[in-house]
């Protein structure tokens, strides 16, 4: 069977996902098109060789609706023979898109394929597409539906993570992100975003706070206490009656930031890369997705990791670097606890608590980040994973070439 290699990874900086954010004036179509253009130009790539583009987008309505991937392909000036498809696995959409692109190469369906994602949360707000799960009693009641923030707080409550624990993790996320920017760790992958006149409007992640401290984060109020007290603490309490009460520890300071951004990863076969004169950077060893308990919802990454490592005949210690999306601090703390992963092997460049989580793009962003970090550090293997709404997780293992 054909092997899938990573030839390039590009991302935009993450802009604050509000009306005063630097990327608010830029549409998702423009961000995705600029990423595709950068992949083409950086690699002197004949786009007729790219069989498909798979983009994650979690809120595919309005200007991000229909099939934004195909529209981005055409807007970026790719060959009309390059197909495009939009997919949605909530927060793991960007990584799922990469896994699908890699699978197309492995199966022989594609010589080159691009996986990635886009989300402009300042223009198309999270949740604006609604959905049956939280709104239809036939799905919400039997699965004990609660908002994700309450799920994260239940993780902290059930496994004993205090407010100090989650804040301390978050301070370190900001420090690592600030250090990574200062050391130029993102330099290879970052593509400055330009406006219609070609003027650069953002060239750095906009939400990193190098001065974050326990004192500054400790001053923030819990984000999900009110909705928990309204109804949802009682709902999830029925699912987890062993927990006396939900301790609401998550705030805007220890949860992933709402941001705008896009990313793309170029996958191809060895033969296609040689023909195009490209040097592979990493090889995809395997991918996996899994379902997990839907009410607590965010514990799936450890299950997906164990499933994938078992399939590959590997153990936790065989992985040099881990990337788990920092949806909420307790999610990462629980993952580290279950798998006994030391903090110095996971999210070493910082994560979404510091830099933000552009839903459909994040998985592709952190995959590119860990490719860069493997090369910088000289390490060999990495595992990337994300928790997913509805109780799921997706994971990917790569090896540096």
């Amino acid at each position: 069977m054909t092997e899938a290699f990573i030839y390039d990874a590009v991302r935009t900086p993450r802009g604050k996902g509000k009306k005063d954010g630097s990327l608010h004036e830029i549409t998702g179509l423009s961000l995705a098109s600029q990423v595709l253009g950068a992949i083409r130009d950086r690699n002197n790539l004949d786009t007729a060789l790219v069989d498909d583009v798979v983009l994650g987008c979690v809120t595919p309505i309005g200007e991000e609706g229909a099939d934004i991937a195909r529209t981005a392909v055409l807007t970026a000036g790719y060959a009309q023979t390059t197909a495009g498809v939009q997919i949605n696995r909530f927060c793991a959409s960007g990584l799922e898109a990469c896994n699908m692109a890699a699978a197309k190469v492995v199966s022989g369906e594609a010589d080159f394929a691009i996986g990635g994602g886009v989300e402009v949360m300042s223009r198309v707000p999270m949740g604006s597409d609604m959905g049956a799960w939280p709104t239809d009693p036939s799905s919400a009641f039997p699965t004990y539906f609660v908002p994700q923030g309450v799920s994260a707080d239940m993780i902290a409550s059930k496994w004993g993570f205090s407010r100090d624990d989650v804040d301390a993790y978050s301070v370190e996320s900001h420090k690592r992100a600030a250090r990574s920017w200062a050391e130029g760790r993102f330099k290879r992958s970052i593509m400055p975003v330009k406006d219609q006149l070609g003027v650069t409007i953002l060239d750095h992640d906009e939400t990193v706070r190098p001065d974050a401290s326990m004192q500054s984060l400790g001053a923030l109020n819990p984000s999900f206490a009110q909705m928990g007290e309204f109804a949802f603490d009682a709902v999830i309490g029925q699912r987890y009656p062993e927990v006396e009460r939900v301790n609401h520890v998550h705030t805007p300071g220890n949860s992933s930031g709402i941001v705008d951004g896009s990313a793309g990863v170029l996958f191809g076969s060895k033969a296609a890369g040689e023909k195009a004169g490209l040097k592979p950077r990493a090889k995809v060893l395997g991918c996996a997705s899994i379902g997990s308990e839907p009410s607590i919802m965010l514990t799936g990454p450890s299950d997906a990791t164990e499933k994938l490592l078992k399939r590959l005949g590997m153990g936790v210690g065989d992985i040099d670097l881990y990337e788990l999306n920092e949806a909420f601090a307790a999610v990462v703390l629980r993952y580290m606890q279950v798998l006994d992963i030391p903090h110095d092997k996971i999210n070493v460049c910082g994560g979404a608590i510091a830099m933000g989580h552009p839903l459909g793009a994040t998985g592709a962003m952190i995959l590119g980040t860990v490719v860069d970090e493997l090369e910088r550090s000289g390490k060999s293997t990495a595992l990337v994973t994300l928790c997913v709404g509805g109780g799921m997780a997706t994971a990917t293992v790569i090896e540096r070439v």
Side-chain angles (χ1 to χ4, degrees):
M1 192 171 285
T2 303
E3 294 178 314
F5 292 88
I6 294 174
Y7 286 96
D8 200 9
V10 179
R11 76 168 175 94
T12 69
R14 299 164 169 108
K16 184 168 60 174
K18 297 182 179 179
K19 291 184 177 180
D20 61 347
S22 295
L23 296 182
H24 176 63
E25 68 181 83
I26 308 296
T27 65
L29 174 60
S30 177
L31 284 187
S33 299
Q34 289 188 50
V35 165
L36 293 180
I39 291 174
R40 175 196 60 218
D41 298 343
R42 285 160 51 114
N43 297 284
N44 193 27
L45 183 64
D46 177 1
T47 58
L49 301 176
V50 180
D51 294 285
D52 209 351
V53 173
V54 188
L55 293 183
C57 184
V58 176
T59 315
I61 64 170
E63 64 190 35
E64 291 184 354
D67 182 356
I68 193 171
R70 173 59 174 170
T71 310
V73 163
L74 297 174
T75 305
Y78 272 47
Q80 68 177 17
T81 52
T82 302
V85 60
Q86 173 268 327
I87 63 103
N88 183 4
R89 197 189 287 279
F90 299 140
C91 294
S93 296
L95 186 61
E96 184 67 34
C98 288
N99 291 351
M100 289 177 64
K104 287 174 178 287
V105 173
V106 169
S107 71
E109 179 185 345
D111 293 322
F112 283 111
I114 294 172
V118 63
E119 210 81 40
V120 181
M121 302 175 76
S122 68
R123 298 176 64 92
V124 184
M126 178 173 56
S128 54
D129 57 339
M130 297 300 290
W133 184 37
T135 59
D136 189 326
S138 68
S139 62
F141 285 7
T143 57
Y144 302 97
F145 168 80
V146 299
Q148 276 193 9
V150 176
S151 300
D153 286 337
M154 174 55 85
I155 290 173
S157 304
K158 182 172 173 60
W159 285 288
F161 302 120
S162 68
R163 173 67 183 270
D164 282 350
D165 290 334
V166 294
D167 280 351
Y169 178 88
S170 303
V171 169
E172 181 64 16
S173 178
H174 282 281
K175 287 182 178 179
R176 291 182 179 191
R179 182 172 64 247
S180 296
W181 270 104
E183 295 177 354
R185 294 192 187 189
F186 303 131
K187 185 177 180 180
R188 180 165 184 174
S189 294
I190 285 289
M191 175 214 75
V193 176
K194 301 181 183 297
D195 65 12
Q196 290 181 329
L197 300 177
V199 176
T200 296
I201 61 172
L202 188 65
D203 61 3
H204 64 280
D205 292 321
E206 199 169 22
T207 61
V208 180
R209 298 191 296 276
D211 59 347
S213 66
M214 292 294 288
Q215 291 73 27
S216 63
L217 295 190
L220 299 173
N221 293 322
S223 298
F224 309 104
Q226 187 172 2
M227 64 177 62
E229 293 166 0
F230 170 72
F232 292 111
D233 283 358
V235 173
I236 202 167
Q238 294 178 64
R239 181 64 183 83
Y240 295 95
E242 69 275 16
V243 179
E244 183 177 352
R245 70 178 184 87
V246 178
N247 184 21
H248 293 283
V249 299
H250 287 96
T251 71
N254 52 45
S255 308
S256 56
I258 294 173
V259 294
D260 304 332
S262 183
V265 180
L266 176 63
F267 297 87
S269 66
K270 184 177 182 180
E274 289 175 349
K275 187 175 181 180
L278 300 180
K279 182 180 178 180
R281 300 177 62 191
K283 179 170 66 175
V284 178
L285 298 186
C287 313
S289 291
I290 201 166
S292 60
E293 199 282 303
S295 185
I296 208 165
M297 176 179 334
L298 307 173
T299 58
S302 59
D303 297 327
T305 295
E306 290 174 331
K307 176 181 179 179
L308 179 53
L309 291 179
K310 181 179 180 181
R311 180 177 294 164
L312 294 174
M314 302 175 74
V316 171
D318 294 321
I319 302 297
D320 297 321
L321 294 174
Y322 287 85
E323 282 284 330
L324 168 59
N325 181 40
E326 295 175 349
F328 301 91
V331 171
V332 188
L333 292 175
R334 176 58 181 163
Y335 182 79
M336 293 163 62
Q337 183 184 69
V338 172
L339 299 177
D340 194 24
I341 296 171
H343 198 179
D344 61 4
K345 290 182 68 171
I346 187 167
N347 298 349
V348 297
C349 296
I353 287 172
M355 294 177 283
H357 176 25
L359 305 178
T362 305
M365 286 186 169
I366 62 177
L367 179 60
T369 292
V370 86
V371 171
D372 287 342
E373 188 61 18
L374 285 176
E375 292 175 340
R376 187 198 70 83
S377 64
K379 296 182 186 300
S380 179
T381 55
L383 186 146
V384 179
T385 185
L386 300 91
C387 60
V388 182
M392 293 184 286
T394 295
T396 305
V397 171
I398 63 171
E399 181 179 56
R400 179 172 64 89
V401 174

